[in-house]
Each structure stands twice: as C-alpha cells, then as structure tokens.
Amino acid sequence: MTDQDQTLPETARLPRQAGTENVSPRTGVSRRRLLGTAGATGLALGAAGAAAGYAAAAPAGAAPLTSLGAGRAKFHGKHQPGITDALQSCGHLIAFDLAAGAGRTEAAALLRRWSTTAERLMAGEPAPHGDTDVARDAGPSSLTITFGFGHSFFDRTGLQKQRPAALDPLPDFSSDHLDKARSNGDLWVQIGADDALVAFHALRAIQKDAGGAARIRWQMNGFNRSPGATARPMTARNLMGQIDGTGNPKPTDSDFAQRIFVPGDGTPSWMANGSYAVVRRIRMLLDDWEKLSPAQQENVIGRRKSDGAPLTGGTETTEMDLEKTDKNGEYVIPVNAHARITRPDQNGGAAMLRRPFSYHDGYDADGTPDAGLLFICWQADPLRGFVPVQRKLDRGDALSQYIRHEASGLFAVPGGAAKGEYVGERLLEG
Amino acid sequence: MTDQDQTLPETARLPRQAGTENVSPRTGVSRRRLLGTAGATGLALGAAGAAAGYAAAAPAGAAPLTSLGAGRAKFHGKHQPGITDALQSCGHLIAFDLAAGAGRTEAAALLRRWSTTAERLMAGEPAPHGDTDVARDAGPSSLTITFGFGHSFFDRTGLQKQRPAALDPLPDFSSDHLDKARSNGDLWVQIGADDALVAFHALRAIQKDAGGAARIRWQMNGFNRSPGATARPMTARNLMGQIDGTGNPKPTDSDFAQRIFVPGDGTPSWMANGSYAVVRRIRMLLDDWEKLSPAQQENVIGRRKSDGAPLTGGTETTEMDLEKTDKNGEYVIPVNAHARITRPDQNGGAAMLRRPFSYHDGYDADGTPDAGLLFICWQADPLRGFVPVQRKLDRGDALSQYIRHEASGLFAVPGGAAKGEYVGERLLEG
C-alpha cells in the first residue's frame, strides 16, 4: 500500500504535468541519475536545465540517488497520500484558520493552490508559486502532503449542511489537559518526508500559499526512525522505548478499507474514500516513566520492550493470551495493561490506523523534556475508532499516569483528488 | 577524515570494551547482519542475546543494516568526534551549568560518566547507567558526541589558571541580539546522528548522566539533509536555499590541521589537539529574504543558488574572480557580497571549519518562522578564525539584514580521549 514508484516503468516517472516554461521536470533528472546515463547526455540536459530550474543542479556524473531520495508517493488517487504510505522520518503538522473576511471562495482558491503545490513537490519539482530552493538537488524523498477540514471550517464557509456528523467535537476525557490554542483549526495539513529540508520546504510552500486567506493557528514538528537505521522490520519505536503500532490493522486485512476509509457511497458524498484524522499531542512524562524498571514498564504495556511480543510469549505478531495466569493466579498481561485495553476485540471491533511522529521541543525550565508523541490515527468513523478506545483507556489504562494529552484535533480528510481536480473540490464546488 | 568503520576488517568492529555481563555487544549483531549469516547461527545468538540486552531484538533473517545505521564514528582518537566527521541529519546542542556546590571533583566524575556513555552509544551499545531503549534495534547511525568547556567552567572549578586566553569573551558585534539565557554555559555537548531516535536517546543519556552535578542551561535541535536524499556531492544547503560551506578548508589542505586544531605542543597543554567551537543561533529573516528575486539573492551572496558557483563563473569549487567587472564597470561579485567578505584571503588567511545544523522551532504568533542556522565553526584560535570574519561581516555584509544572531557560545573542546582516558582528563586531573 505504499505508493513508491521506484518499481514503476520509466514512463510512469515522467512529470505528470507539462508545467510552465520555467519549471523544469526535476524528476526527469532523477530518472536519468537512476538509470546511470549521466555524461554526455547529462551535459546536454544540464545545459537545457540551466535556464529551467532545479535540473541545472545535477552535475554530470553525479552519484545515483538512493532509494531514500527517489522515493515518491502518489498525489492523485482514490485516497490522499500520507495515510497508508510508510511513515517518514520527518513530519510537520500545521493548522490554519481562515482569515477574517475569507469564506468559501477564498478557501476553494486556497485548496486549489495547495493541491497544485502538493502535486509538484511530491513529484520533486519546484513549488509553482515562487520556490525557495531549499529542496533543490534532493529527490522527492517520499514527501506526502495531506489536507483536512476541521469542524469550524464549515461555519466559516457557510457549508454547515455539508458538515459530517463524524466531526462533532470529541468528548472530554478526564486525562485531557488540552491547550485550545494548539487544538483543532479550520484547516489541517500533514507533511511527511524522509529528508528534513524537503519537509521544511513543503511546509514553507504551504504557508506561503495561504497568503492572506488563512493564518497559522498552530504548528508542530515530529520525527521517526530513518530508513536504514535499523535492520528490524519496522514497527516504530517511541520515546518511551516501546515498539508502538503492533496492533495496527494491516492493509491485507479483509476489512481494512472498511475500517479506515469512508465508503465510496458513504455520507456526506464529498467524503467518499476519505478518512477522519484524530490528532493528539501526547506528552510523555519521561522522568516518571524512566524511574520504572524494565519489568514494570512491560507490565504497564503488556508487551516486551525488546521485541514487542506479548508478555504471554511469542513474537510481536503473536496473539495475546489474555486469560493466561502466572503461578499466583494473576493475569500475565495485567488487567490495566495498555495493550489489553487497546486490543480491538476488547472494544467492539473498533480499529484505527495509527501513524504517529515523535516530537521533542526542548526542555522546560525545570529540566523536564517537552517530548512525546504526535499521535495521528485514521478511521472511517471516530465514534467507532478513537473514541471508544480512548474512553476505555480513560477509565483504567496503566499508561495514563505517564502521559498527558496536551492538544487535540479532529479533521475530515476527503478522498484523493483525480487528475485535474483539487483536494476538497467535491465539497467546495458541490 | 570521516571515521566510519564499514570498511574495517571484521575484528575491528568488535566491541572495544568487554562490557558488563548485562550489556550485550549490539555491534556484534550488526556485524552478523552485515555479513548475512543470520539463520541458525542467528537464532543461537538471538537466544543468548535474549538475556543480554539489545542483541535480542534482531530477528533471524532480518534485512541487513544499510550503511546509514551501520555508520560508526570513532570515540577514541587524536581529536574528538563530531568535528571532521560528515555532517549528520540530526543534531542536538545542549549546555549545562554546574549545580550549586559542584566543583572540580563533580565535574571530573561527570566527564568520566559522559565519556563512558559516549563511547558506548557511539558503538551502538546501550547506555551504561540505565538505558531507555529508544535507540534499541538501530545501528550507531554515525552518532558523535563532543564535549566542550565554557569560560565560566574555570571559575566554577577553581581552574582559572588553566583557562585558555582563547576563551576570552567574544567581542560584541553590532548585529548581535543575544539572549544570555541561551548563550554560553559551563559545559557544552554536541550530538549528531543520522537517526533522530538515536540522537534523542543520546541527548537523554547525557542529561541523565548530569544527575545532580549539572543542570541544563539551554538546548537546541537541528537538522541537515538526509544521506541519500540528493545525488549531488554534499555541500549542505541552508534554509535560505543557498549552498553553504563551499569555502570550508579541506582536510587535504596542507594547513588544515594547523588552522582547525591546537597543536600537540600548544598551550595550554591540556588543549593539545583540541579545537575551539563558536556556536551562534542565527535566525534567518526568511519573510524578508524570500521577497528578493533569485538574482538579488545571488548578489547578496556572490554565488549562484543553483550550484554554488561564483557569479564570475565556473563550478562550486572555482575561485572567485573578485576583480571581474560587468559592462557597466561594476564588480560582478558585489563589494558587500557575503562570499567576498568571508573569503579567507580577504581576512589575513583566517579560516574556520563550519559544521552547522539548520533549525526550525515553529512559528511566532505573527506567522514568522523561528528558523535558521545553528552555526558551529571550529578553529585553532577564535581570534584568527571566527572573530576577524565576523568583524568584517559586521561592517558591511549584504547578508546581515536578513539574519539575526540570537545566541552565542564559545567553548574549548579538548583533544580526543585515549583508551582508558576520559575527555578533559588532562585538565581535570592535571
């Protein structure tokens, strides 16, 4: 389900848009590099590129791009990118509010600009509306840009009748310590890439496209393990040192699409093939957590730190034996263990696809790290995904005393744009 | 000059310390993976590793570590790591002040702990004083940890007589807007790695080692391009989109060591083979910068954005023709161009090795990005490296109106530790 194109035939990697005269198909150069045909041909292309943008930067005989730079996700498709694509090493989340006086017309124009920018940048081309050169030389590096609408967007644009019931505000949870200024927002953009400058370049392009139509409400930076840093099949590790995401539904599950995406004939119709993102800035109280012994930490989670296997044995993918008891008659996986509580068959089949980034924003004045998880989960319906699980966690999760939910957002992420279409067009032109 | 050991013979990659019973040689597993001999042997090692730490996490048949995870810099040596090693994609800078009541004895014990931790982590092993598991599974990922002493350290430890004259406070520059709370400090640690979790893991280990002996004064996070994201021979690009570091002295220059490192018979003797680091948090006023046309930006710098070549032609490595004029008789490289002013032969031969990270700490309330450069430069003597260049820039650099120096530090970074020695031992036990 990752939409990387390294394995696509050569023609598939050609630019999908002709582009304007002064925008060069940087991917053409990347392809040339990949095919190892630099040299005389390279010089010729280089000369052509000199007047035409990014291509000029590729010296003849340059080393081939590795798969890291060449990784390319698809902008067009049934679903938006950045949901089932592999986790990238760098992420930015940014929320905007429409500016005073901006409404549906301005929002439509903005989504059109953003979609053009996302398509170009994800193909490794310069931004269409003035490029900063920060991503110059680099391949697309698996860049994804994903757009969503918050509850307030529909009031601001007079589209209340189109607002999905699924965007109703999340219930309060007793463990919430939410900063309203860093929660929600009219518009939400998720950016991920395997190169930090490519990701920053995209963030800046998205911000500049907003122009006078929208202002930044909040912005957060995150990270994951770099591709190639581990030989282990990747389930992410978080800043508590735990393998995180083992219980995720798999694209090969028969009900995967049903759980994660709004059906093609779902309601509202503009959300066909879309998904709902719940975003939580979850601070980890690492000073408290790290006072626990490894065995105590494993009892909080219910899984081994080393490999994510259930405490009842096996490997990361082995089913938990929730009934197994030790010689004292105690459950091996404690009743309040995080993995027990979040297990889908303990929650009426609720399932969500978790796709988080870790974050670290330095230290508080007392030396406490401001670090944790930018938790992002995807589901067809938050009332059957995030909400029931979080309700249950709220009542008895052993992990809860080591974390604090500091910000929250819920966004309707429409389906992917068809060629010639912009993201959200079915809402804004509907 | 990069001390990576992928090319070393197998025995060279064995752990350099026997370690304690419960610390497993994770590098041994990495080596096994690299040699592709997992399987029955892997299972046997895995079983042994299950009781012994990180090694247990390697499943039999795991994919080989790529060069990214396997990259390993040397802790022991003539110089400390992190000076001539290749720029990593993730960086942390952290400064500490000794705690009230802590002096030379506590500082010596701290540097001893830190050195042990740095040696272990740089070899891809767990931290010796309680590991958080955050780097578990990952290879060393070219981790470097570098230690320095600030001016105030010598007062706190009664070692004023050992304080180098080179640590005298930097002069004030008219463009400074320095935040004292984020400047200087008794102790400074630079961490770099090609994986964000490996870097965070090291940062946290260094913090925990400080214990009650020192408290965090300031901490900053930075980044560079990921290895493999570009096919271009790497000179870093910064957040202004400029190639940055072209003028750096090369390790192959005959006077490289003389310019960057204190001689082996230099003064004070404890600084033999050490270097001085000037650290500046340089904010980039990107909103102003990006209003300039590409041609205007190139005139500010004196080099082409695309490839870093001088405006007088050639490639990035071509010498600037400072006398060349255009048809109007104007210098092609303007008199106030940044590249002209910083050129070593315009500064009495001053030279420093610049090894920066970019940073991005989100946005101010008005939508201005808090982003720029964690400028770090290395030299044998700041009065012949950073200071004369910055003085000249201060008087007429065209770039100065687009940047703001917001924090500053100057640190004495002693030579590398020999085996069995800790960093700074020649000062603290001298």
Side-chain angles (χ1 to χ4, degrees):
Chain A
M1 289 296 287
T2 58
D3 293 336
Q4 314 289 325
D5 75 349
Q6 296 101 302
T7 56
L8 295 181
E10 180 182 342
T11 49
R13 250 189 257 104
L14 290 170
R16 291 178 180 121
Q17 288 202 338
T20 56
E21 286 270 334
N22 64 351
V23 174
S24 167
R26 182 162 49 145
T27 47
V29 173
S30 301
R31 177 170 44 87
R32 177 168 55 83
R33 291 181 200 150
L34 286 164
L35 297 174
T37 57
T41 312
L43 285 169
L45 276 172
Y54 278 9
L65 275 181
T66 70
S67 60
L68 189 144
R72 178 171 162 184
K74 281 186 198 162
F75 174 72
H76 294 296
K78 188 172 176 182
H79 309 300
Q80 285 194 61
I83 303 174
T84 58
D85 293 291
L87 275 173
Q88 299 102 330
S89 62
C90 306
H92 298 297
L93 308 181
I94 184 164
F96 294 86
D97 287 333
L98 288 172
R104 180 172 170 174
T105 305
E106 291 75 14
L110 175 55
L111 267 295
R112 191 185 292 277
R113 288 196 297 276
W114 275 351
S115 295
T116 304
T117 294
E119 180 183 359
R120 296 278 181 89
L121 298 190
M122 285 176 57
E125 298 171 18
H129 313 109
D131 192 80
T132 62
D133 286 309
V134 170
R136 194 159 186 155
D137 312 327
S141 306
S142 300
L143 175 70
T144 59
I145 306 180
T146 317
F147 303 97
F149 302 108
H151 187 274
S152 54
F153 179 81
F154 299 83
D155 299 315
R156 305 296 309 281
T157 52
L159 289 163
Q160 291 93 340
K161 286 186 181 165
Q162 297 282 11
R163 179 160 53 206
L167 274 190
D168 285 353
L170 296 173
D172 293 331
F173 300 103
S174 65
S175 56
D176 286 354
H177 294 74
L178 303 183
D179 175 357
K180 299 285 182 197
R182 290 197 291 184
S183 295
N184 297 310
D186 293 347
L187 291 154
W188 175 71
V189 187
Q190 171 192 259
I191 295 166
D194 280 332
D195 178 79
L197 280 94
V198 167
F200 180 83
H201 176 251
L203 176 67
R204 187 81 178 136
I206 291 296
Q207 180 197 1
K208 292 177 86 171
D209 278 349
R215 59 174 183 76
I216 296 172
R217 181 180 173 89
W218 54 259
Q219 195 270 316
M220 301 174 188
N221 301 326
F223 57 86
N224 283 301
R225 181 137 285 161
S226 296
T230 175
R232 200 175 173 288
M234 292 272 286
T235 306
R237 219 175 256 281
N238 63 31
L239 297 189
M240 286 178 159
Q242 295 286 349
I243 290 176
D244 194 340
T246 301
N248 256 346
K250 308 288 180 292
T252 49
D253 296 347
S254 60
D255 57 355
F256 178 82
Q258 177 191 328
R259 290 177 181 281
I260 308 307
F261 295 110
V262 175
D265 59 357
T267 53
S269 59
W270 67 268
M271 271 295 287
N273 303 311
S275 185
Y276 293 92
V278 173
V279 181
R280 310 279 282 191
R281 186 180 194 269
I282 304 180
R283 180 152 169 169
M284 294 174 170
L285 309 180
L286 294 176
D287 288 329
D288 295 334
W289 173 253
E290 292 168 8
K291 282 183 190 126
L292 301 183
S293 69
Q296 288 172 318
Q297 292 179 347
E298 290 183 338
N299 278 327
V300 167
I301 302 296
R303 292 183 175 275
R304 290 202 299 250
K305 280 193 95 176
S306 59
D307 61 359
L311 295 183
T312 46
T315 67
E316 183 187 341
T317 54
T318 303
E319 286 289 314
M320 287 181 276
D321 181 352
L322 296 177
E323 302 305 319
K324 189 172 179 179
T325 52
D326 63 18
K327 61 186 177 185
N328 302 319
E330 305 280 350
Y331 284 124
V332 173
I333 296 175
V335 291
N336 62 352
H338 184 75
R340 178 190 287 269
I341 292 174
T342 55
R343 198 177 172 220
D345 65 8
Q346 298 289 302
N347 295 288
M352 52 194 177
L353 179 67
R354 308 178 55 207
R355 194 177 180 284
F357 295 90
S358 291
Y359 78 87
H360 170 230
D361 292 336
Y363 288 83
D364 292 348
D366 66 354
T368 304
D370 185 6
L373 197 69
L374 301 180
F375 172 97
I376 304 164
C377 74
W378 299 91
Q379 57 254 296
D381 180 357
L383 290 178
R384 304 197 326 114
F386 175 77
V387 170
V389 174
Q390 185 59 24
R391 275 220 175 95
K392 199 157 178 185
L393 289 173
D394 209 37
R395 285 198 295 268
D397 175 26
L399 185 61
S400 62
Q401 64 184 292
Y402 303 101
I403 59 177
R404 194 164 64 205
H405 288 238
E406 295 193 333
S408 176
L410 170 59
F411 303 98
V413 173
K419 293 194 183 184
E421 192 188 29
Y422 66 86
V423 175
E425 180 168 331
R426 283 163 263 175
L427 168 65
L428 289 157
E429 317 277 341
Chain B
M1 289 294 289
T2 60
D3 293 337
Q4 314 289 325
D5 75 349
Q6 296 101 302
T7 55
L8 295 181
E10 181 183 341
T11 49
R13 249 188 257 105
L14 291 171
R16 292 180 179 118
Q17 288 203 338
T20 57
E21 286 270 331
N22 64 351
V23 174
S24 168
R26 181 160 48 144
T27 47
V29 172
S30 301
R31 177 169 44 88
R32 175 169 57 83
R33 290 181 201 150
L34 286 165
L35 296 174
T37 56
T41 312
L43 286 168
L45 275 173
Y54 278 9
L65 274 182
T66 71
S67 60
L68 190 144
R72 180 172 161 184
K74 282 186 197 162
F75 174 72
H76 294 296
K78 187 171 176 183
H79 309 300
Q80 284 196 63
I83 303 174
T84 57
D85 293 292
L87 275 173
Q88 300 102 330
S89 62
C90 306
H92 297 297
L93 308 182
I94 185 165
F96 293 87
D97 286 332
L98 289 171
R104 179 171 171 175
T105 305
E106 292 75 13
L110 175 55
L111 267 295
R112 190 185 292 277
R113 289 196 296 278
W114 274 351
S115 295
T116 304
T117 294
E119 180 183 1
R120 296 280 182 87
L121 298 190
M122 285 176 56
E125 299 171 17
H129 314 111
D131 192 82
T132 61
D133 286 309
V134 169
R136 195 161 185 151
D137 314 327
S141 306
S142 300
L143 175 69
T144 59
I145 307 180
T146 316
F147 303 97
F149 302 108
H151 187 274
S152 55
F153 180 81
F154 299 83
D155 299 313
R156 305 297 308 281
T157 52
L159 289 164
Q160 291 92 338
K161 286 186 182 165
Q162 296 282 10
R163 179 160 53 207
L167 274 189
D168 285 353
L170 296 173
D172 293 332
F173 300 103
S174 65
S175 58
D176 286 355
H177 295 73
L178 303 182
D179 176 358
K180 298 285 181 198
R182 290 197 292 183
S183 295
N184 296 312
D186 293 348
L187 291 154
W188 175 71
V189 187
Q190 171 192 259
I191 295 166
D194 280 331
D195 178 80
L197 281 94
V198 167
F200 180 83
H201 176 252
L203 177 67
R204 187 79 178 138
I206 290 296
Q207 181 197 0
K208 294 177 86 170
D209 279 350
R215 61 175 180 75
I216 297 173
R217 179 179 175 90
W218 54 260
Q219 195 269 315
M220 301 173 189
N221 300 327
F223 57 86
N224 283 301
R225 181 136 285 161
S226 296
T230 176
R232 199 174 173 288
M234 292 273 287
T235 305
R237 219 175 253 282
N238 63 32
L239 297 188
M240 286 180 159
Q242 294 288 348
I243 290 177
D244 194 340
T246 302
N248 256 344
K250 308 288 180 293
T252 48
D253 295 346
S254 60
D255 57 356
F256 178 82
Q258 176 191 329
R259 290 177 181 282
I260 308 307
F261 295 110
V262 175
D265 59 357
T267 53
S269 60
W270 67 268
M271 271 295 287
N273 303 311
S275 185
Y276 292 91
V278 173
V279 181
R280 310 279 283 191
R281 185 180 195 270
I282 304 179
R283 181 154 170 167
M284 293 173 170
L285 309 180
L286 294 177
D287 288 328
D288 296 333
W289 173 252
E290 293 168 9
K291 282 182 191 128
L292 301 183
S293 69
Q296 288 172 318
Q297 293 179 347
E298 290 184 338
N299 277 328
V300 167
I301 302 297
R303 291 182 175 276
R304 290 203 299 251
K305 279 193 94 176
S306 59
D307 61 0
L311 294 183
T312 45
T315 68
E316 185 188 340
T317 53
T318 303
E319 286 289 315
M320 287 181 277
D321 180 353
L322 296 177
E323 302 306 320
K324 188 172 180 178
T325 53
D326 63 17
K327 58 186 178 187
N328 301 319
E330 304 280 349
Y331 283 125
V332 174
I333 297 175
V335 290
N336 62 352
H338 185 73
R340 179 190 287 269
I341 293 174
T342 56
R343 197 175 173 221
D345 64 10
Q346 298 289 302
N347 296 286
M352 51 194 176
L353 179 68
R354 308 179 54 206
R355 193 177 181 281
F357 295 90
S358 290
Y359 78 88
H360 170 229
D361 291 337
Y363 288 84
D364 292 348
D366 65 355
T368 303
D370 185 4
L373 197 69
L374 301 180
F375 172 97
I376 304 165
C377 73
W378 299 91
Q379 57 254 296
D381 180 358
L383 289 180
R384 304 199 323 117
F386 175 77
V387 170
V389 175
Q390 185 59 23
R391 275 219 176 96
K392 198 155 181 188
L393 289 174
D394 209 35
R395 285 198 294 268
D397 176 26
L399 186 61
S400 62
Q401 65 183 291
Y402 302 101
I403 60 176
R404 194 163 64 206
H405 288 238
E406 296 193 334
S408 176
L410 170 60
F411 303 98
V413 172
K419 293 195 182 184
E421 191 188 32
Y422 65 86
V423 175
E425 182 168 328
R426 282 163 263 175
L427 168 65
L428 288 157
E429 317 277 342

